[in-house]
Amino acid sequence: MNATLEYLSYSLETLETGFYKLPGSQVLARYVKSSHQNDPGRTVLEVILLIFVIRTLLQSRTRADNSGKHFIQFSEKEIDELVDEWTPEPLEQPLTERESLDLASLPIISGATGPKPKLVGSGKTVMNFASFNFTGLSGNEHIHQKATAALRKYGLGSCGPTGFYGTIDVHTDLERNIADFLGTEDSILYSQAFSTVSSVIPAFSKRGDIIVADRSVNFAIQKGLQISRSTIRWFDHNDMKSLEEVLEGINKEIRKRRSPLTRRFIITEGIFERDGSMADLPKLIELKYKYKYRLILDETFSFGTVGRTGRGLTELYNVPASEIDMLIGSVATSLCSAGGFCAGSSAVVKHQRINGTAFVFSASMPAILSIAASEGIAILRDSPSILSTLQENVRTFRSILDKLDCITIPSHHASPLIHIQVRSASASSLLPTAVPPSASKPSNPTSALPRNLQVFDIEAEERLLQEVVDDVLAQGILITRAKRLRGQEISEVRPSIRLAISSAFTKKECEKTATVIKTSLAKVLSKRR
Amino acid sequence: MPSPIAINPVSPSQSIFKKTSKSPSNLPASAASYLSAVSQADAHARARSLANVVTPTSTPALSMSSSVTVLSEDSILREGEVKMYDNDDGLSYPRVPPTSEQSFTTAHSEFGHCANEEYRFTSQHPVGKPAPHQEEQDPPYYILLSTYISFMILICLGHLRDFIGKRLKPSAYTHLQPHDGWAPLNSDFDSFYIRRLKVRLDDCFSFPVTGVPGRTIICYDRDTHDYNVTLHTTGRRTRGLNISSYNYLGFAQARGGCADAVVESISRYGLSSCGARLEAGSLDLHQTAERLVAQFVGQEDSVISSMGFATNSTIIPALVGKGCLVISDEFNHASIRFGVRLSGASVRTFKHNNVKSLEDLLREVISQGQPKTHRPWKKILVIVEGLYSMEGSMVNLPKVLELKEKYKFYLFVDEAHSIGALGPHGRGVTDYFGVNPLSVDVLMGTFTKSFGAAGGYVAGKKSLIDLIRVKGHSGPYAEAMPPPVLTQVIASMASIMGVASEPLKTANDVTSTALASYPGPAPVHMLPSWLDLPPLLKDGSEGQVRLRRLAFNSRYLSRGLKKLGFITYGSDDSPIVPLMLFNPGKMCVFSRMMRQRATPIFIVVVAYPATPLVTSRVRFCLSAAHTKDDIDLILTACDEIGDWLDLKQGSGERWPLQQIMDRAVELVHMDMD
Ligand SMILES: Cc1ncc(COP(=O)(O)O)c(C=O)c1O
C-alpha cells in the first residue's frame, strides 16, 4: 500500500520536473494558475474546450487500418510486384443467353400507355393487363389539363432538395391531401416509390433496435432492413400465430437478458407485392398494442386499390389510419404519377424530414406530378364508382381463373394484383396456405427462410409462364411475368404471371381476357404433363 | 431597423417587395402569345426609355418605376402578382431595357437577359497544365477558436436547458424518453443536435416556395412565435434572386422550347408510364432518351432511372458485391454510401480529392488483399464525384486515370453536378479535362440539376448497361421515369448539343456513329419525330450561350469574392461557390441579411453534419440564367455583410468592389493561381 503510494508520488514528481523542463511550460503553468485563481469556472470551460478540440482533431483523421494483427509489412518493391500481379475480375459478368433474350424481347410501348396502348415493333394495339393503372387515371384528360397549366407556372424540375428551396407549395398541398384522405396527422413525399420504404425503415430503426418482419416482404423493405442494421426476426408469411409466437419469444429473450428497452417494429405489407395476399390488419393492430411494437405497413399496392374509395386497408377493415405508425404508399402506382409517401403522426413525419436519407438527399419531385397526384386523390374521393368497377373486374377475373386447377393463385380475392403460379403436380400440399401452421415445429425466427421451404424449378416454371405470356400477347393481350432479381432476394419467390387489373376495362373485356389467359394456361401447362 | 441578429426580425412592413398573393390569372395559352407579350413589353420599355432621354434627370432604372400605366401584357409576365410598377429590384425586368436590335425569348425573371458578348467564358481546363492542387485556406486562429467556443456555448446551454426542462416541464420530454414500455422514436440524446442547435437556424432552411426555381424564386414569408419550434407562413410572398437552386444551365423554365416540348409530350404520352422498366413500363421514349444520353456523354449505352438518389443506391449493388472493394472519397454523396452499403462490398475511404492518399490506400489494399484471408480482391471500384456539391472542388481526373492505368481499378464518376455544368460542350468533367469519356468505366449523372428535370442515368459499355438493366434494383421494382421528365431531358440535352440537320448515313449502327461524333450535335434521327425545337435551340446556339454564360458567372463570382477578401473553396470554374463563414452564429445572420436586402437574395447555408464541424458555409449555385448585374448585386451584398460579420479573412491581393465590377471581364480572363 505504502509502496504504491510512494511510487505514485515519485512518478508524479518526475512528471512535474519533466514538464517544467519543456520550453514554455512555465508560462503555461503560470497562466493556468492565475486564471484559476481569478475564475475557476473559466478553467473548467477551457479544459472542456481542450478535450473537445482534441476529440474533433482525432475524429477528422481517417482511420488507417495498418495496426491490426493481420497487417503484413511489405517493402515498396514487393508492393509493386503485388500490384503488377493482381488481375481483377471483369467489372461485368456477361448476361446469360436467356437473360439477354428476355431483355431483347421486352415489350416496349409506343406512345402513351393506358388500357389499350400500341406496341413498338408489331405496331399492334393491345389490351394492357401488365401496367399499374388500377384506378384508370392514366390518360385522364382533366389531370393532363391541370398538369399542363401547372407546367406553365412551375416549370418541370424542382432543381433542389426540399431543404434548399425544393419545397414547392404543391408538394405541401399533396402531403396535406394524402394525410386528409387517409386520416393521419401528416405525410411526407419521397420522389420515388421504391426508395420510400427503404429510407423510412433506417430513419427510425437503428443498430440494436428490433424489427419483426414478414418472410415475404418485398425487395424494397428487404433493402431497408439491410441498411438499418437492426436485429431482425421473421414470422411466417401472413401468419398471425407465427407473429405472436415470435413476439412472445423476443419478450422472453429480453427478460432473460435484461436488455435495455429499444425501439421495436413490426413490418409487413398491405397487399404483398410478391404474391398479392393481404395482411390481417385488425390482428396486427391488436398484437402491436399488446406487445408495444410500432407498425410499419407498406401499402404500395393496397393504397388506391381496396376500400370503398381506395384509402386502402384501413378503409377496408375500418381501422383508423392513425393506428398505423408509419403507413407507406405509392403515388406512382394508383395515382399514376410518381413518388411515394409515408403518412403518420406529425412527429413521425417531422423526424423523417431530417433523417429520411432519400428525402433529404434527393431533389423533390416535379411540381406537375404532385398536381397530378392531388387531382387523382380528388377524383378517387368523389367517384367511388372507380373502386367498385375495379373490384367488379377483379371478381370477374377470379371467377374465371379460379376454376383452373393447373394453377395456384395465392392472391387475396380482392387484390387487383393477381399472381398466377404453376401448380406442382405432386407438391400441392406444400403451398403456404395449405400448410397448417401448427402442424409442425415453428420456423426459426432468425432465418428468413421458412421451415417448409417450397421447392420449385425456377427456370422451368419461368419458361412455361413466359410461353403463356407470349401466347396471350399473340392474341392481343399484354401481360407480364413478375420479374425478380434472382439470387438477390432474401428467399426465392415462386415464378408467377402478374396481372394488374384496371377499372378502365369493361366487364366484357375482362371476361374475354380472362378466358384467353385461362385457355392459354390450360394449353401450355397441359403440354407439360 | 431591428437587429439582424434577432431570431426573426420583422421585415419592413412597407416593403415594396412583398407581394400579396393572388391566384394566377390569364396565363398565356401558348409560347407564341407569350413571346409576343415579351416583345410588346420590350417595345413599351423602349418607348419609355426614349421618353427619358427628354427628361435627363431620370435614370433608365427609374424609368420603369415612373410608369404608372398598367399594361395588360405585363401582367402576363407577372404571373399573377400584384405589384406597384417599380423595378428597383431588377428582378422582373432588366434595369436597362433592351435596344431595338436585341430580342429576348425568355422571361427575365426565369432566365435573365444578358446580351453583352463579353460576359462569356469557356469552361475548360487549360491544355497541358496539371490540374491545380486546390489548397484550402485556413482562417486565422481566433476565428477557429471562437467557432469552437460558439459550439461549446451552444452545447452547454442546450444541456443546461434539457436539464432544467426535464425537471420543470417533464411533459415536453416524454416523447424523448421511454414511457409505458415504449422506447422513444427519437431519444433526447440522438435529437440533441436538432433540438438545441439546428432549430435556431430553422428559419434559414426548407423555405416553402412557388413558381419556377429559375433566376428568381418566390418564397413564402414565414414567422414564428416560439423561437423556430414551429414556423408558419404569413401569407405574403417575396420574390428574390435565386442563387441556390441547382439550375446550372437555366433550364428551369415555364416558357420556351423545352417547356413547349413537355406540354406536347403530355398530350402524346400522358404523365406516367405505369410500371417498372422490366414489367411493361418501358416506352419508346425511354429508349430514345437513353440513346441520346449515351451520345451526349460519349459512351456506348446508358440506362435511365427515375430518381437520382436511386440511380446510385440501386445500381452500385449490381456492380460490386462480397469480396469486392469500393474505395470512396470521404465526401461522397449519401446516395453513394447507401448503394455501397447495400452492395455488401468492403469500403475504404480516402482523403477528399487527395490523389496521394488514394494511391497510398491502393497500394495498401492491393498488397494486403481481403481482411484476414489476404485473398486478392475480386475487383476494386473507385467512386468519385465529378464536382463536389458542398466543396465546389473538381476531381483530379487526369491523375486518377493515371492511377487507374497502374492499379487496374474500375472507375465510377458521379457527375450529378458536373454534367452539363462543366466542359466547353457541357459534357461534364471528362469534357472539362479533355479526356476520352470511354476511359471512365461508369459515368453516372442526374438530370435534376443542369437539365431542369429529375432522375438519373448511368452510361458505360453496352454489356455493362445491359447487366445493370437486368441486375440493378430499379429494373424490375422501381417505377420508370415519367414521359414529361423524359421529354425535358431530351429537349434540354438536344438544345445543348444542337441538332444535326442531315440524318447520318449509317443510321442502323447507332453506337458507332454516336461515338464518332462525340462531342458533336445530336443526329436528328435520334430525337422523337414530333419534337419541334425553336431554331435557336435546334442549332445549338442558345445551348452554347448558356454554357458560356455559366462559365463566366462561375468564374466572376468566385474570383470576385476572393478579390474582396473572402475565403472560398473549390475550383474557379465550378458553378458551386462555397463561401466560408466558420462561425455557426454567422450563418443565420448572413442568410437573414441577404434575404432582407432591397433586392432579396436567397441563399443556402450549410453546416455540420453536411460539412465538418468548423467549416459552416454559404453555398452559391450559379446559373446561366444570372446576368452580370445579378452577380454584381451579390458581390455588393457580400461586401457589405462581409464587413459587418468580419468574414474577409482571406489572404491574397484585394480589389475594391467598384474595381471588381468594372474589370469583371479582365478578372475572369486573368491567370490566377
Ligand atoms: C453527387 C450526387 N449524386 C446523386 C444525387 C441525387 O440526385 P437527385 O437529387 O436527382 O436524387 C445528388 C443530389 O444532390 C448528388 O449531389
Side-chain angles (χ1 to χ4, degrees):
Chain A
M1 182 70 198
N2 257 352
T4 43
L5 268 181
E6 224 160 79
Y7 178 73
L8 258 180
S9 68
Y10 167 75
S11 43
L12 262 178
E13 234 163 74
T14 35
L15 250 177
E16 203 177 329
T17 44
F19 174 72
Y20 282 114
K21 272 187 199 138
L22 290 174
S25 56
Q26 301 281 1
V27 183
L28 188 68
R30 215 173 316 128
Y31 172 76
V32 171
K33 254 184 216 155
S34 63
S35 86
H36 189 68
Q37 268 162 12
N38 293 344
D39 184 1
R42 188 170 139 196
T43 321
V44 176
L45 200 73
E46 273 165 2
V47 169
I48 300 174
L49 190 66
L50 196 72
I51 295 169
F52 199 73
V53 170
I54 292 170
R55 221 192 70 185
T56 33
L57 283 181
L58 286 179
Q59 270 178 344
S60 60
R61 199 156 299 159
T62 40
R63 186 167 43 92
D65 204 19
N66 47 13
S67 54
K69 61 174 188 268
H70 292 290
F71 192 81
I72 310 172
Q73 210 63 50
F74 290 112
S75 71
E76 288 297 303
K77 202 166 141 270
E78 282 168 325
I79 295 182
D80 281 336
E81 279 170 20
L82 283 166
V83 166
D84 279 344
E85 267 169 34
W86 181 62
T87 25
E89 285 180 9
L91 182 58
E92 73 271 14
Q93 244 74 53
L95 293 179
T96 63
E97 204 175 316
R98 258 182 58 80
E99 284 169 333
S100 330
L101 213 68
D102 250 15
L103 190 63
S105 63
L106 219 59
I108 312 283
I109 290 164
S110 158
T113 188
K116 286 163 197 150
K118 223 165 70 197
L119 290 190
V120 167
S122 63
K124 247 184 6 186
T125 302
V126 290
M127 302 258 273
N128 185 357
F129 285 87
S131 302
F132 301 132
N133 181 23
F134 300 118
T135 46
L137 291 176
S138 160
N140 183 301
E141 244 342 285
H142 170 71
I143 294 182
H144 286 186
Q145 270 166 22
K146 288 277 181 187
T148 308
L151 184 85
R152 291 303 185 193
K153 184 169 173 209
Y154 297 97
L156 192 85
S158 63
C159 286
T162 43
F164 303 153
Y165 304 90
T167 318
I168 309 177
D169 47 6
V170 293
H171 296 138
T172 322
D173 292 347
L174 178 55
E175 286 172 349
R176 195 66 270 140
N177 289 338
I178 290 171
D180 287 349
F181 187 57
L182 289 171
T184 58
E185 266 177 37
D186 204 350
S187 79
I188 175 170
L189 272 182
Y190 287 75
S191 47
Q192 189 189 50
F194 178 76
S195 295
T196 309
V197 71
S198 51
S199 178
V200 172
I201 296 172
F204 293 103
S205 188
K206 314 274 183 209
R207 204 188 279 280
D209 296 338
I210 298 169
I211 297 180
V212 180
D214 190 292
R215 285 206 161 81
S216 260
V217 290
N218 63 37
F219 193 74
I221 297 182
Q222 293 167 26
K223 293 294 128 183
L225 297 178
Q226 190 186 339
I227 287 280
S228 77
R229 294 173 168 161
S230 308
T231 311
I232 297 166
R233 296 286 180 268
W234 303 91
F235 65 94
D236 283 339
H237 177 39
N238 231 350
D239 183 344
M240 291 300 117
K241 207 151 160 272
S242 161
L243 170 61
E244 185 151 16
E245 277 162 16
V246 173
L247 297 178
E248 200 52 60
I250 294 173
N251 261 8
K252 262 197 215 122
E253 210 178 312
I254 289 178
R255 248 177 277 135
K256 206 167 74 194
R257 285 218 222 123
R258 299 223 194 94
S259 3
L261 182 64
T262 55
R263 287 174 281 256
R264 292 171 300 191
F265 300 90
I266 298 173
I267 300 187
T268 184
E269 282 179 76
I271 288 182
F272 283 82
E273 183 261 349
R274 279 177 150 204
D275 62 2
S277 57
M278 195 186 284
D280 180 357
L281 188 59
K283 186 73 191 170
L284 277 171
I285 305 252
E286 183 198 319
L287 290 178
K288 147 196 147 114
Y289 280 119
K290 182 168 168 200
Y291 291 92
K292 308 213 154 136
Y293 277 62
R294 291 184 171 92
L295 178 60
I296 302 183
L297 184 69
D298 186 346
E299 289 225 57
T300 300
F301 288 99
S302 47
F303 174 75
T305 64
V306 293
R308 194 181 68 89
T309 53
R311 287 171 168 87
L313 235 54
T314 49
E315 193 178 22
L316 188 71
Y317 286 111
N318 203 11
V319 173
S322 49
E323 303 275 303
I324 298 166
D325 299 84
M326 293 113 203
L327 192 158
I328 288 136
S330 160
V331 183
T333 314
S334 299
L335 300 174
C336 290
S337 172
F341 66 84
C342 173
S345 68
S346 41
V348 161
V349 168
K350 207 168 167 199
H351 182 77
Q352 290 177 63
R353 290 196 196 278
I354 301 164
N355 296 291
T357 330
F359 177 81
V360 175
F361 294 104
S362 179
S364 49
M365 70 155 111
I368 64 167
L369 296 172
S370 297
I371 292 261
S374 284
E375 289 302 318
I377 290 179
I379 293 177
L380 286 188
R381 228 184 238 280
D382 296 342
S383 28
S385 63
I386 293 181
L387 263 288
S388 55
T389 315
L390 175 62
Q391 285 302 327
E392 178 64 35
N393 286 350
V394 173
R395 268 196 297 280
T396 310
F397 257 84
R398 291 301 293 263
S399 67
I400 292 172
L401 290 176
D402 281 349
K403 291 198 197 108
L404 202 61
D405 56 6
C406 56
I407 55 164
T408 324
I409 300 182
S411 309
H412 188 267
H413 58 80
S415 157
L417 201 66
I418 302 181
H419 283 266
I420 303 175
Q421 297 170 345
V422 179
R423 178 179 292 229
S424 327
S426 55
S428 60
S429 63
L430 281 183
L431 291 170
T433 42
V435 181
S438 54
S440 56
K441 258 180 64 185
S443 317
N444 173 11
T446 56
S447 157
L449 299 176
R451 204 181 141 73
N452 304 310
L453 197 60
Q454 277 193 63
V455 273
F456 42 81
D457 181 348
I458 295 176
E459 194 151 320
E461 292 191 1
E462 279 192 345
R463 207 164 330 116
L464 281 173
L465 293 174
Q466 187 60 41
E467 212 176 304
V468 176
V469 170
D470 295 342
D471 182 48
V472 170
L473 183 63
Q475 302 177 55
I477 293 162
L478 179 65
I479 57 173
T480 177
R481 268 189 305 121
K483 298 290 170 70
R484 304 274 156 210
L485 290 179
R486 295 287 169 200
Q488 295 192 47
E489 297 230 16
I490 41 165
S491 57
E492 288 303 342
V493 197
R494 184 152 205 166
S496 62
I497 285 177
R498 178 189 57 61
L499 302 179
I501 313 299
S502 165
S503 69
F505 293 107
T506 61
K507 189 166 172 171
K508 259 236 174 65
E509 286 167 331
C510 290
E511 271 168 4
K512 182 173 157 267
T513 306
T515 317
V516 168
I517 295 173
K518 183 181 156 198
T519 324
S520 174
L521 277 166
K523 188 173 78 191
V524 172
L525 295 185
S526 68
K527 260 198 318 210
R528 174 183 58 140
R529 296 203 189 112
Chain B
M1 174 72 188
S3 156
I5 299 165
I7 289 284
N8 252 312
V10 202
S11 29
S13 54
Q14 80 282 15
S15 168
I16 37 180
F17 311 107
K18 310 288 175 202
K19 292 125 208 173
T20 39
S21 55
K22 201 185 91 178
S23 64
S25 58
N26 54 2
L27 294 173
S30 72
S33 69
Y34 171 75
L35 285 186
S36 78
V38 172
S39 66
Q40 278 183 46
D42 283 352
H44 277 286
R46 276 195 294 276
R48 270 172 278 164
S49 71
L50 274 182
N52 281 318
V53 178
V54 189
T55 48
T57 43
S58 57
T59 62
L62 290 172
S63 67
M64 305 268 299
S65 48
S66 63
S67 158
V68 281
T69 45
V70 177
L71 306 162
S72 60
E73 60 273 10
D74 284 3
S75 62
I76 290 179
L77 301 177
R78 297 248 146 198
E79 287 180 19
E81 280 167 47
V82 178
K83 190 179 171 184
M84 293 291 96
Y85 267 65
D86 55 63
N87 192 42
D88 290 7
D89 56 3
L91 289 179
S92 301
Y93 290 108
R95 279 172 208 270
V96 184
T99 61
S100 52
E101 300 89 63
Q102 297 165 351
S103 66
F104 295 102
T105 54
T106 57
H108 188 61
S109 60
E110 284 174 15
F111 193 94
H113 299 170
C114 173
N116 191 336
E117 279 301 324
E118 289 212 303
Y119 301 149
R120 307 282 189 266
F121 192 68
T122 306
S123 157
Q124 187 166 24
H125 182 67
V127 200
K129 260 177 93 176
H133 184 65
Q134 288 141 8
E135 273 298 330
E136 249 102 62
Q137 269 189 43
D138 283 329
Y141 275 108
Y142 80 92
I143 297 268
L144 273 187
L145 199 69
S146 63
T147 305
Y148 277 117
I149 291 174
S150 313
F151 274 108
M152 284 284 315
I153 293 173
L154 280 171
I155 290 167
C156 293
L157 267 183
H159 281 302
L160 195 69
R161 287 178 64 183
D162 273 3
F163 182 82
I164 296 170
K166 275 179 198 163
R167 272 144 196 88
L168 295 186
K169 234 170 85 187
S171 63
Y173 288 83
T174 43
H175 68 288
L176 299 172
Q177 282 164 335
H179 62 99
D180 197 19
W182 297 82
L185 265 186
N186 198 2
S187 72
D188 53 351
F189 179 76
D190 291 343
S191 63
F192 181 81
Y193 175 80
I194 286 152
R195 283 183 301 119
R196 291 299 177 209
L197 276 71
K198 184 176 170 291
V199 77
R200 292 168 182 263
L201 312 172
D202 261 357
D203 64 311
C204 306
F205 297 109
S206 302
F207 276 96
V209 303
T210 185
V212 180
R215 173 179 156 266
T216 66
I217 193 164
I218 303 168
C219 285
Y220 287 92
D221 295 355
R222 291 186 298 182
D223 203 356
T224 180
H225 298 309
D226 48 11
Y227 299 100
N228 279 1
V229 179
T230 52
L231 289 159
H232 55 88
T233 50
T234 60
R236 283 189 310 196
R237 307 187 298 184
T238 309
R239 189 189 279 279
L241 192 63
N242 176 14
I243 182 95
S244 306
S245 292
Y246 302 136
N247 175 29
Y248 301 127
L249 291 181
F251 278 111
Q253 284 177 292
R255 321 273 161 206
C258 294
D260 294 345
V262 174
V263 168
E264 172 77 21
S265 84
I266 292 177
S267 61
R268 281 175 183 268
Y269 283 90
L271 290 167
S272 167
S273 81
C274 300
R277 286 301 296 281
L278 296 183
E279 287 188 346
S282 286
L283 306 178
D284 50 355
L285 210 53
H286 286 110
Q287 296 186 312
T288 310
E290 286 178 349
R291 255 178 255 143
L292 189 67
V293 170
Q295 160 93 2
F296 184 80
V297 300
Q299 287 277 12
E300 282 180 15
D301 201 357
S302 82
V303 61
I304 282 176
S305 139
S306 56
M307 182 192 192
F309 184 95
T311 315
N312 278 331
S313 69
T314 65
I315 271 153
I316 295 173
L319 301 176
V320 284
K322 272 218 159 46
C324 304
L325 177 71
V326 171
I327 297 184
S328 168
D329 189 292
E330 62 176 329
F331 288 165
N332 272 352
H333 192 250
S335 57
I336 298 176
R337 282 183 250 158
F338 203 97
V340 172
R341 232 159 100 182
L342 286 182
S343 74
S346 309
V347 205
R348 297 291 296 273
T349 54
F350 65 97
K351 274 235 180 66
H352 172 58
N353 231 351
N354 187 327
V355 185
K356 173 86 177 39
S357 160
L358 173 61
E359 180 160 14
D360 289 349
L361 185 59
L362 279 165
R363 291 178 76 80
E364 183 199 319
V365 295
I366 295 177
S367 61
Q368 296 293 327
Q370 298 188 30
K372 295 203 183 111
T373 61
H374 294 288
R375 246 181 250 150
W377 295 102
K378 287 187 185 157
K379 48 192 168 188
I380 296 179
L381 182 68
V382 173
I383 305 187
V384 292
E385 289 182 27
L387 180 63
Y388 288 83
S389 62
M390 291 297 160
E391 313 296 313
S393 51
M394 249 179 252
V395 63
N396 189 343
L397 194 61
K399 263 286 183 348
V400 173
L401 286 174
E402 265 172 43
L403 290 184
K404 176 170 153 57
E405 277 296 298
K406 184 163 175 207
Y407 294 98
K408 294 173 278 193
F409 57 80
Y410 298 108
L411 183 61
F412 180 115
V413 181
D414 181 336
E415 293 221 70
H417 290 270
S418 52
I419 193 72
L422 292 181
H425 311 91
R427 312 294 166 90
V429 66
T430 52
D431 191 21
Y432 179 80
F433 285 110
V435 303
N436 184 351
L438 289 170
S439 57
V440 179
D441 301 284
V442 193
L443 280 174
M444 176 268 170
T446 66
F447 302 123
T448 330
K449 283 100 192 176
S450 299
F451 304 101
Y457 67 84
V458 207
K461 284 214 293 284
K462 173 122 181 49
S463 53
L464 178 79
I465 299 304
D466 276 347
L467 175 94
I468 291 172
R469 288 200 170 103
V470 175
K471 299 271 162 80
H473 304 167
S474 301
Y477 302 118
E479 75 241 35
M481 188 186 264
V485 184
L486 286 167
T487 309
Q488 172 79 15
V489 170
I490 294 173
S492 57
M493 209 169 254
S495 58
I496 301 171
M497 299 165 86
V499 182
S501 43
E502 277 294 297
L504 292 171
K505 283 171 206 95
T506 47
N508 48 358
D509 188 0
V510 171
T511 45
S512 73
T513 55
L515 297 179
S517 61
Y518 174 85
V524 74
H525 73 262
M526 274 196 174
L527 303 176
S529 52
W530 51 267
L531 182 71
D532 186 25
L533 292 173
L536 279 181
L537 295 185
K538 211 172 202 159
D539 63 12
S541 55
E542 192 180 312
Q544 267 301 312
V545 170
R546 284 177 193 250
L547 292 170
R548 292 167 56 78
R549 272 177 68 169
L550 176 63
F552 176 85
N553 290 349
S554 309
R555 273 207 167 202
Y556 178 36
L557 182 65
S558 122
R559 292 190 161 181
L561 287 174
K562 270 191 204 131
K563 285 278 181 237
L564 281 176
F566 290 99
I567 300 182
T568 60
Y569 276 9
S571 156
D572 280 358
D573 284 327
S574 139
I576 299 168
V577 183
L579 185 158
M580 308 313 291
L581 298 179
F582 300 105
N583 226 306
K586 290 177 182 170
M587 280 197 296
C588 40
V589 182
F590 195 96
S591 170
R592 286 166 200 156
M593 286 178 86
M594 286 296 247
R595 230 151 59 210
Q596 274 150 19
R597 294 183 63 81
T599 307
I601 302 174
F602 292 123
I603 56 152
V604 160
V605 285
V606 261
Y608 179 81
T611 69
L613 191 64
V614 282
T615 49
S616 309
R617 61 195 70 175
V618 177
R619 193 187 56 173
F620 298 113
C621 289
L622 287 150
S623 164
H626 295 126
T627 62
K628 168 158 185 301
D629 287 344
D630 296 336
I631 317 267
D632 288 347
L633 207 76
I634 295 163
L635 286 172
T636 314
C638 287
D639 186 45
E640 282 168 26
I641 300 174
D643 282 336
W644 231 84
L645 295 181
D646 186 25
L647 292 174
K648 299 181 177 172
Q649 309 293 352
S651 52
E653 192 198 0
R654 295 198 186 177
W655 289 6
L657 178 67
Q658 196 54 48
Q659 188 183 352
I660 292 173
M661 300 201 298
D662 293 343
R663 294 169 61 189
V665 178
E666 185 191 334
L667 182 66
V668 164
H669 287 269
M670 229 161 59
D671 231 358
M672 242 166 79
D673 261 319

